[in-house]
Amino acid sequence: MKRVWPPLLLLAAAVGVWELVVRTAGVPDYLFPAPTAVASALGADAGLLGSATLVTVREVIVGYLLAVVLAVALAVLLHFSAALRHALLPILVLSQTVPTVVLAPVLAILLGYGIAPKLVVVAIVCFFPIVVNAVDGLRSTDVELVRMMRTLHGSRLAIFRRVELPGALPSIFSGARVAATYATVGAVFGEWAGSSAGLGFVMLQAQPALATARIFAAVLILCAVALALYALVSLTERLLVPWQRETAHA
Amino acid sequence: MSQSTVEVRAAAAPAVAPGVALDGVVRVLGGKRVLDGVDLRLPVRGRLGIVGRSGVGKSTLLSLVAGLDDPDAGTVSVGGDGSAATRLARCALMPQRDCLLPWRTALDNACLALENQGLSRAEARRRAASLFERFGLSGAQGLRPARLSGGMRQRVAFLRTLLADKEVLLLDEPFGALDAITRAELQEWLGAALAVEPRTVLLVTHDVEEALLLCEQIVVLSGGRVAAELEVDIPRAGARREIVTSPAFVELRERALEAIG
């Protein structure tokens, strides 16, 4: 917990300075709202923001889980087939040069205004870091462990199940943690391209109304959602990879 | 301990078809003839120690016997069969580092070979647990490797190898990473364990004393060839200190060290 205090104090100080500057300079709330204005927007628009948050959280969670499942499945496939790995991995890396933002409108045209295009955008942004880390993790298995397993009746499948996959879990989780911070961005892009609900939609609606404080409030909620997802993934990692902490402390 | 070993050897099948046999084995790695015409004979239930400087091809030799690798020339056979698949089916390797899986407890690490053979985890644990009791590892069952001392880890690694239920055990510097006191303790422990669970053993080590204490026969590798073959015919009764200072032991050690060069 000691590591939490310095950034928290710095953040509090920054918020304090922000409030002070906005108030003393008399900046109007529609241009740049003070923290207190954002806080009151959070309270006043609680109903609107609350239902929008539920929509976005659903997109984030389902899209993220979709990405995790597909990414790990593809990583396993690439791990077992060298030919596929050599053919597909470079293309995957290349695909990262396509700006996802550009894809969102295309997906909206393709899949309509429902939840589907948002899930796809979230999954696309989260997919890559998980695949790459999972493939790396699976491939970095200690050769000596594999040799040992082969002489202990270890079939290819047994080696995968008992050595390669558990050994790759820390890598898979480090990819999953990075992806967790991308998920909300994906959902907002998806909503901006066409939607009728969600935090991204609320932001779009608030902009012409100059309800800047509400936009800030939405951003704040998005940060909280991303942080919560990150924490959830870290917690899952602690539960599924308990030996890593033990090894680190040994 | 020596008493029971002798009895088991007498009870074993006549050593007509040797347990492990190498004939004119050559293995070239990176342009270097690591093994350059090695001949070896190890009878069923015999114990052969292979000593030599590091980089002399001891581990390469174990890989060949294990069926993890094939020679460039010559033949390697286990139980009279030279195919790599058969060798792999008949040998269990205990690698240099303990290679315990950090995510498994000591007991579950020992269970690996049993689970690989399709036993349920409960049944595998039951069988492994009885061995833990018998070989002085009770209390360590539930601990992950990070919590075990170096000596304990090697014991678990050995039980894991034993539980593979193979005729031939290939031990690659099993105690190389341990301090001298722990190593002496484990040599004694291994000797006792093998007296209860006799197997055909190929022990690779750079420690001549270890090979002499644990094996009936030792071979010195040098320059990719067998530089010396020694029968270890020494009285093994009594304390370790008495054995290692006996004239027969000292003489064998000198001959081995001289061959290592």
Side-chain angles (χ1 to χ4, degrees):
Chain A
M1 277 321 265
K2 267 185 188 162
R3 286 186 309 163
V4 175
W5 288 113
L8 222 53
L9 282 175
L10 187 64
L11 209 62
V15 170
V17 170
W18 171 8
E19 179 81 32
L20 202 70
V21 168
V22 170
R23 288 290 168 223
T24 50
V27 182
D29 274 351
Y30 67 86
L31 270 188
F32 201 87
T36 43
V38 176
S40 60
L42 265 175
D45 301 332
L48 177 72
L49 289 169
S51 57
T53 303
L54 283 182
V55 171
T56 304
V57 163
R58 195 161 146 238
E59 292 163 2
V60 164
I61 289 181
V62 179
Y64 180 76
L65 288 179
L66 208 66
V68 171
V69 171
L70 290 176
V72 172
L74 182 69
V76 171
L77 203 66
L78 293 181
H79 177 61
F80 275 95
S81 165
L84 203 61
R85 188 169 60 242
H86 294 317
L88 202 58
L89 215 48
I91 296 177
L92 265 177
V93 175
L94 209 66
S95 76
Q96 288 308 293
T97 58
V98 178
T100 332
V101 205
V102 177
L103 284 180
V106 180
L107 287 165
I109 294 169
L110 219 63
L111 300 168
Y113 282 61
I115 192 174
K118 286 86 176 174
L119 297 186
V120 175
V121 180
V122 172
I124 286 176
V125 282
C126 295
F127 184 73
F128 185 73
I130 307 178
V131 170
V132 172
N133 278 287
V135 169
D136 272 357
L138 288 169
R139 283 181 57 68
S140 61
T141 307
D142 189 341
V143 193
E144 199 66 23
L145 291 182
V146 174
R147 282 161 49 88
M148 175 272 291
M149 275 293 276
R150 288 185 63 201
T151 75
L152 300 182
H153 305 283
S155 63
R156 184 69 192 85
L157 188 66
I159 292 172
F160 174 71
R161 264 183 61 193
R162 307 209 165 96
V163 175
E164 291 173 329
L165 191 59
L169 277 180
S171 290
I172 293 173
F173 270 105
S174 76
R177 263 184 283 123
V178 172
T181 63
Y182 295 171
T184 46
V185 182
V188 169
F189 277 143
E191 288 173 10
W192 282 356
S195 63
S196 53
L199 287 168
F201 176 74
V202 166
M203 289 163 88
L204 278 187
Q205 296 275 299
Q207 198 185 2
L210 292 180
T212 317
R214 195 188 301 156
I215 297 181
F216 272 69
V219 171
L220 205 64
I221 296 173
L222 283 170
C223 292
V225 169
L227 201 65
L229 185 62
Y230 187 91
L232 211 63
V233 174
S234 299
L235 187 72
T236 313
E237 182 177 9
R238 274 194 184 198
L239 292 176
L240 286 181
V241 194
W243 65 88
Q244 210 182 23
R245 286 155 51 80
E246 230 170 78
T247 314
H249 290 284
Chain B
M1 176 197 108
S2 67
Q3 208 61 36
S4 58
T5 314
V6 171
E7 276 166 20
V8 168
R9 279 230 296 161
V16 180
V20 177
L22 279 76
D23 288 289
V25 167
V26 175
R27 185 71 181 107
V28 183
L29 292 173
K32 188 178 170 248
R33 290 171 86 86
V34 179
L35 298 176
D36 192 11
V38 173
D39 302 304
L40 278 184
R41 286 285 179 280
L42 172 59
V44 171
R45 300 274 156 108
R47 288 193 219 157
L48 174 67
I50 299 176
V51 295
R53 291 176 181 282
S54 48
V56 82
K58 303 190 295 283
S59 295
T60 308
L61 196 148
L62 279 195
S63 291
L64 289 171
V65 176
L68 294 167
D69 190 13
D70 271 313
D72 292 299
T75 59
V76 183
S77 71
V78 175
D81 192 321
S83 81
T86 309
R87 280 181 271 138
L88 198 54
R90 292 180 180 169
C91 299
L93 174 72
M94 176 176 174
Q96 235 169 65
R97 292 175 293 121
D98 57 68
C99 281
L100 295 180
L101 302 178
W103 46 87
R104 283 181 170 242
T105 61
L107 188 65
D108 287 346
N109 263 291
C111 285
L112 258 185
L114 297 172
E115 283 182 47
N116 284 345
Q117 285 175 287
L119 252 70
S120 73
R121 187 168 268 206
E123 175 62 17
R125 278 180 176 165
R126 205 183 54 73
R127 284 186 51 184
S130 71
L131 236 65
F132 269 60
E133 300 289 335
R134 262 162 71 201
F135 294 116
L137 279 170
S138 22
Q141 285 97 326
L143 298 177
R144 289 207 189 83
R147 295 268 169 86
L148 297 174
S149 68
M152 285 296 239
R153 294 168 65 119
Q154 292 307 122
R155 285 177 219 236
V156 174
F158 178 74
L159 290 192
R160 176 185 64 191
T161 317
L162 201 61
L163 279 161
D165 237 348
K166 307 268 191 120
E167 179 47 43
V168 181
L169 301 186
L170 307 172
L171 312 180
D172 192 357
E173 303 263 11
F175 311 131
L178 301 176
D179 62 272
I181 295 168
T182 312
R183 190 187 305 172
E185 225 172 76
L186 255 75
Q187 285 162 357
E188 216 153 299
W189 180 83
L190 181 66
L194 283 172
V196 181
E197 293 275 340
R199 296 287 197 285
T200 306
V201 176
L202 205 59
L203 169 75
V204 156
T205 177
H206 60 259
D207 182 348
V208 173
E209 211 160 272
E210 179 170 291
L212 289 172
L213 281 168
L214 289 169
C215 300
E216 295 140 355
Q217 210 185 336
I218 70 171
V219 152
V220 178
L221 275 191
S222 178
R225 291 168 181 277
V226 173
E229 269 183 274
L230 306 171
E231 288 293 325
V232 187
D233 197 9
I234 52 170
R236 288 176 195 272
R240 176 197 176 91
R241 200 153 22 107
E242 287 167 31
I243 298 172
V244 300
T245 51
S246 72
F249 190 96
V250 172
E251 195 218 319
L252 276 170
R253 187 177 55 202
E254 287 312 308
R255 279 170 61 195
L257 286 172
E258 198 180 320
I260 288 171

